[in-house]
């Protein structure tokens, strides 16, 4: 009888343990189902090297300047740096015209400087993502010099040539050409070469396997040095129909439909993945994400073995000089999140080197509202699902530069040649300049504002682009000393994101989709839930939400006050609040 009782007791203990185990597994199931990757958890800080820090007085930022500021970068709470091109280049398009992929532009320093920079980044647990510019090269690259030397040169097929005896090739639109024509006649061999960008950026012929192998070898060279990731510039344009058929008249108004994601591109990316990405623990992202959500998935879904994440422009194309509708922004952001909720991965960003300053485009850069609205935008970027990309200076709330008024003030080839083209075609030049003052790439490239000294602590010489006059007040030194600055808010957001899987992997749900001023959403993971409330207007707004009463723990607030009662919240102009479920 005692044996029977003992057996029964033992059996009940085993059953109880198994039940507890089942309960435990159920409660942690969301954690176990997460496909964690370092590049999903990364907070990427984009550095435009010409504009970050100059150490030799030539007015151009350099690698030693980046090295000197790495403690600042680390202190921001970011975990990776995306560095715009630093390769040898004649600088027709600020380094996006590469003449030597295995060397460093003299303006920036030496390979020894690069090696030191990479080592110092890794010593601070900062990863480095490099730009790879291989849709095109510079016309001063040895490959192109050989290619244009004769029709039977071994490098001829490294580029796209059209013999003149066949007549003029069918029109192709160029983004940076003063006439908008992507074909350039070259007298030496009586032929035209293709350049989707400037005349000094001839397009590489990716149908040629020798070109592809050259590129993979270049990428391997940098991966072997220890680089942690690659951003593929303009790569969605790399594949082309080399018969160059005629396109419909006016196609340039929607050229992406004809240029992006052409046949062969997926084959090139799979081959690149096999030869490079699969052999290293690197992050991979291509500029552009195809023409549809389906095409974006075809680029980034894990089973495709191509690249890691989509970098779509739908969101950054929304703001215009005349304004924009918040509903469009909410709809676009929610559409991309929903499409990648279960598969694939996306990038979250509002600015980069090809955009004007985000606070001037999406919010309000006037004196009373610049700081709260910059904090609000950084709250958005760092609270969405996807890998956030934060552009240098946005952590300070840097703004568009009022010194850029006349075309002579601009240095960007897109602005200069765009002006020439608009004028030759009889466009309204006042409207053109109004749009340029709002959206020029030069606004995002003005030098970093470190302190209130002459030239903002960026250089001892004359800066390559004029400094924004507001650097006297908007600078790192001043903001570090101000507990309520844009900079210190940014650091609070990076800290919250790094400690909260919910902000990285949690589900996203849009609330109040029709509200004209407030962008509200939840992030949910397991039993945890955050509520994000963002006022995109300069007016005070009262919001009533039935679920507000469930959120009592304040995580983030860009104001010192929070007016919340039961299910009602009053938001100050550009107020950003994150609440945790109680």
């Amino acid at each position: 009888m005692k044996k029977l009782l003992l057996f029964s007791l033992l059996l009940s203990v085993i059953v109880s343990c198994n039940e507890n185990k089942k309960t435990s597994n159920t409660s942690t199931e969301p954690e176990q189902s997460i496909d964690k990757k370092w590049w999903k958890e990364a907070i990427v800080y984009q550095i435009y090297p010409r504009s970050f820090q100059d150490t030799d007085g030539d007015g151009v930022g350099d690698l030693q300047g980046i090295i000197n500021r790495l403690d600042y970068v680390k202190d921001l709470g970011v975990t990776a740096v995306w560095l715009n091109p630093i390769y040898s280049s004649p600088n027709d398009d600020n380094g996006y015209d590469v003449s030597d992929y295995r060397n460093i532009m003299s303006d920036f320093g030496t390979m020894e400087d690069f090696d030191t920079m990479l080592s110092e980044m890794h010593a601070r647990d900062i990863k480095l993502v490099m730009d790879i510019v291989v849709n095109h090269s510079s016309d001063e690259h040895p490959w192109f010099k050989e290619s244009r030397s004769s029709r039977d040169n071994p490098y001829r097929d490294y580029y796209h040539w059209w013999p003149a005896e066949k007549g003029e090739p069918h029109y192709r639109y160029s983004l940076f050409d003063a006439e908008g024509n992507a074909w350039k006649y070259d007298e030496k061999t009586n032929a035209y070469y293709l350049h989707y960008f400037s005349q000094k950026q001839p397009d590489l012929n990716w149908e040629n396997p020798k070109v592809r192998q050259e590129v993979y070898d270049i990428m391997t060279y940098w991966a072997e040095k220890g680089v942690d990731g690659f951003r593929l510039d303009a790569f969605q344009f790399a594949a082309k129909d080399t018969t160059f058929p005629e396109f419909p008249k006016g196609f340039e108004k929607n050229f992406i439909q004809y240029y992006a994601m052409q046949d062969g591109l997926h084959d090139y990316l799979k081959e690149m993945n096999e030869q490079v990405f699969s052999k290293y623990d690197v992050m991979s992202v291509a500029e552009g994400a195809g023409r549809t959500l389906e095409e974006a998935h075809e680029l980034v879904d894990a089973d495709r073995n191509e690249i890691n994440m989509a970098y779509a422009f739908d969101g950054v194309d929304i703001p215009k000089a005349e304004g924009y509708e918040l509903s469009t922004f909410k709809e676009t952001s929610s559409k991309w999140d929903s499409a990648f909720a279960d598969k694939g991965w996306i990038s979250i960003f509002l600015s980069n080197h090809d955009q004007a300053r985000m606070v001037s485009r999406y919010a309000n850069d006037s004196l009373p509202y610049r700081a709260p609205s910059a904090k609000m935008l950084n709250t958005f970027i760092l609270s969405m699902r996807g890998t956030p990309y934060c552009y240098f200076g946005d952590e300070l709330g840097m703004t568009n530069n009022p010194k850029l008024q006349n075309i002579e003030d601009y240095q960007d080839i897109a602005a200069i040649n765009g002006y020439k083209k608009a004028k030759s075609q009889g466009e309204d030049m006042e409207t053109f300049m109004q749009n340029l003052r709002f959206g020029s790439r030069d606004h995002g490239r003005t030098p970093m504002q470190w302190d209130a000294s002459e030239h903002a602590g960026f250089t001892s010489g004359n800066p390559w682009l004029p400094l924004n006059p507001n650097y006297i007040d908007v600078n790192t030194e001043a903001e570090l000393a101000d507990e309520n600055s844009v900079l210190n808010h940014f650091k609070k957001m990076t800290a919250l994101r790094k400690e909260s899987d919910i902000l990285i992997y949690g589900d996203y749900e849009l609330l109040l989709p029709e509200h004209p001023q407030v962008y509200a959403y939840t992030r949910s993971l397991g039993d945890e839930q955050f509520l994000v409330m963002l006022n995109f207007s300069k007016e005070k707004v009262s919001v009533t939400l039935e679920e507000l009463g469930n959120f009592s723990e304040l995580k983030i607030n860009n104001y010192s006050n929070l007016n919340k009662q039961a299910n009602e919240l009053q938001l100050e102009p550009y107020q950003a609040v994150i609440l945790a479920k109680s």
Side-chain angles (χ1 to χ4, degrees):
M1 186 69 174
K2 288 181 179 178
K3 289 182 179 179
L4 184 59
L5 286 171
L6 187 61
F7 177 78
S8 298
L9 182 62
L10 183 61
L11 184 62
S12 67
V13 170
I14 292 171
V15 170
S16 176
C17 287
N18 285 339
E19 288 300 320
N20 287 338
K21 190 174 180 181
K22 288 178 184 177
T23 304
S24 175
N25 284 344
T26 301
S27 65
T28 60
E29 190 173 344
E31 289 277 345
Q32 293 177 342
S33 63
I34 295 173
D35 179 25
K36 292 192 172 187
K37 301 290 185 185
W38 73 261
W39 41 267
K40 293 181 180 179
E41 299 174 10
I43 301 173
V44 181
Y45 184 66
Q46 184 186 350
I47 292 178
Y48 197 69
R50 295 185 69 81
S51 300
F52 198 60
Q53 180 68 74
D54 172 33
T55 60
D56 59 9
D58 64 357
V60 174
D62 46 49
L63 298 187
Q64 189 59 54
I66 295 172
I67 294 167
N68 292 352
R69 296 292 187 176
L70 284 179
D71 285 342
Y72 168 81
V73 175
K74 173 69 174 177
D75 193 47
L76 289 175
V78 302
T79 61
V81 165
W82 159 22
L83 194 61
N84 289 103
I86 54 173
Y87 316 103
S88 296
S89 167
N91 254 337
D92 189 56
D93 184 24
N94 282 5
Y96 281 92
D97 48 319
V98 181
S99 56
D100 186 347
Y101 291 96
R102 288 182 173 86
N103 208 347
I104 304 296
M105 190 190 308
S106 58
D107 285 355
F108 296 145
T110 65
M111 188 61 77
E112 184 179 1
D113 292 329
F114 174 84
D115 292 338
T116 300
M117 180 188 71
L118 182 59
S119 175
E120 291 295 323
M121 283 183 178
H122 287 169
R124 292 167 175 79
D125 294 321
I126 299 171
K127 296 184 183 294
L128 176 62
V129 177
M130 288 187 71
D131 245 311
I132 294 292
V133 189
V134 288
N135 171 72
H136 49 265
S137 75
S138 166
D139 66 344
E140 296 183 33
H141 193 288
W143 298 341
F144 189 74
K145 290 180 178 179
E146 290 290 329
S147 182
R148 79 192 312 176
S149 66
S150 70
R151 289 192 179 189
D152 58 1
N153 187 281
Y155 286 91
R156 184 68 168 182
D157 290 336
Y158 271 47
Y159 298 85
H160 298 282
W161 289 95
W162 184 273
E165 62 267 21
K166 290 174 63 175
E168 284 193 25
H170 292 305
Y171 171 67
R172 289 294 182 268
Y173 168 69
S174 168
L175 283 80
F176 292 171
D177 189 77
E179 298 176 357
N181 190 347
W183 289 106
K184 171 69 174 174
Y185 177 70
D186 195 59
E187 188 174 328
K188 186 173 181 65
T189 59
N190 190 34
Y192 300 85
Y193 69 84
L194 186 72
H195 59 93
Y196 276 179
F197 294 89
S198 86
Q199 293 180 7
K200 289 183 67 62
Q201 293 169 291
D203 282 30
L204 286 159
N205 179 12
W206 273 78
E207 279 195 358
N208 186 342
K210 292 181 179 178
V211 168
R212 301 200 300 273
Q213 194 58 55
E214 295 266 23
V215 171
Y216 308 148
D217 289 348
I218 289 165
M219 295 174 76
T220 298
Y221 169 81
W222 291 103
E224 285 292 324
K225 274 185 167 288
V227 166
D228 304 288
F230 298 103
R231 179 254 188 194
L232 304 174
D233 177 72
F235 198 77
Q236 62 176 345
F237 299 158
K240 299 171 176 69
D241 181 346
T242 54
T243 65
F244 297 107
E246 186 173 8
F247 287 160
K249 188 174 181 179
F251 81 90
E252 62 272 19
K253 295 174 183 175
N254 194 17
F255 69 93
I256 292 289
Q257 293 298 320
Y258 297 86
Y259 280 15
M261 307 300 295
Q262 299 301 298
D263 290 347
L265 190 77
H266 291 298
D267 294 331
Y268 305 154
L269 285 171
K270 287 179 187 297
E271 188 177 61
M272 185 184 294
N273 186 296
E274 179 186 2
Q275 293 211 27
V276 185
F277 301 151
S278 64
K279 297 179 180 179
Y280 305 91
D281 184 22
V282 292
M283 169 182 138
S284 55
V285 56
E287 182 184 24
R291 299 163 294 186
T292 64
L293 293 170
E294 291 74 22
E295 287 187 343
H297 271 292
E298 289 169 359
L299 285 169
V300 305
D301 286 354
D303 57 5
R304 297 282 302 182
N305 295 317
E306 296 187 28
I307 58 176
N308 295 147
M309 71 181 79
Y311 190 91
F313 293 109
D314 292 16
V316 293
D317 288 341
I318 291 172
K320 306 295 180 188
E322 60 272 19
Y324 72 100
E325 295 294 328
L326 179 60
S327 58
T328 304
F329 182 66
K330 291 195 281 189
E331 180 184 347
T332 300
S333 301
S334 301
K335 175 186 73 175
W336 277 91
D337 180 273
S338 175
F340 288 82
D342 300 317
K343 200 175 184 183
W345 199 252
I346 59 174
S347 309
I348 304 295
F349 65 101
L350 294 180
S351 59
N352 58 31
H353 64 290
D354 283 333
Q355 311 293 332
R357 284 292 172 182
M358 72 176 186
V359 72
S360 300
R361 299 176 71 233
Y362 289 91
N364 193 326
D365 63 6
S366 65
L367 189 59
Y369 302 118
R370 180 198 63 83
S373 58
K375 295 176 190 177
M376 184 268 295
L377 295 172
N378 282 325
T379 303
F380 169 79
I381 294 171
L382 290 161
S383 65
M384 288 289 284
R385 176 168 49 187
T387 298
Y389 290 70
C390 308
Y391 188 58
F392 90 96
D394 284 346
E395 77 274 18
L396 305 178
M398 283 177 60
T399 66
N400 280 1
N401 192 340
K403 284 188 174 181
L404 301 180
Q405 286 295 314
N406 304 312
I407 191 61
E408 294 79 19
D409 301 325
Y410 292 83
Q411 292 202 26
D412 180 23
I413 189 172
I416 295 168
N417 284 352
Y419 181 90
K420 292 176 182 176
K421 179 185 174 187
K423 195 169 184 178
S424 69
Q425 294 182 349
E427 291 186 25
D428 181 339
M429 297 311 293
E430 182 53 43
T431 300
F432 178 89
M433 288 305 301
Q434 180 183 348
N435 290 330
L436 196 63
R437 293 182 196 113
F438 174 78
S440 170
R441 304 193 303 178
D442 275 347
H443 284 301
R445 300 175 178 186
T446 56
M448 181 66 170
Q449 297 167 197
W450 292 106
D451 57 43
S453 67
E454 187 180 16
H455 305 319
F458 166 68
T459 181
S460 60
N462 293 316
W464 75 281
L465 268 179
L467 280 152
N468 193 315
N470 68 9
Y471 80 84
I472 298 296
D473 301 304
V474 181
N475 63 70
T476 298
E477 186 176 67
E479 295 200 21
L480 282 172
D482 178 4
E483 183 182 349
N484 297 314
S485 67
V486 180
L487 176 58
N488 281 314
H489 180 83
F490 181 89
K491 292 199 280 188
K492 290 174 187 174
M493 275 304 307
T494 58
L496 179 64
R497 188 174 182 92
K498 288 198 290 188
E499 71 185 26
S500 310
D501 272 1
I502 186 173
L503 289 180
I504 303 167
Y505 299 108
D507 292 338
Y508 161 96
E509 182 181 355
L510 177 67
L511 308 175
L512 306 172
E514 303 303 323
H515 200 293
Q517 297 157 299
V518 174
Y519 192 165
Y521 49 93
T522 57
R523 299 297 311 279
S524 308
L525 185 65
D527 296 330
E528 287 188 278
Q529 193 171 52
F530 283 179
L531 171 65
V532 183
M533 304 286 287
L534 308 172
N535 182 3
F536 269 73
S537 77
K538 63 179 181 180
E539 311 296 335
K540 288 186 178 182
V541 181
S542 289
V543 177
T544 301
L545 265 179
E546 188 175 331
E547 50 266 75
L548 254 176
N550 299 326
F551 296 88
S552 60
E553 184 184 354
L554 182 62
K555 292 288 189 179
I556 288 292
N557 184 9
N558 65 341
Y559 275 74
S560 59
N561 63 299
L562 181 65
N563 191 345
K564 177 180 179 290
Q565 294 179 349
N567 62 350
E568 185 176 348
L569 179 67
Q570 186 175 83
L571 293 170
E572 299 292 328
Y574 301 104
Q575 187 164 15
V577 176
I578 299 181
L579 297 163
K581 195 173 186 180
S582 40

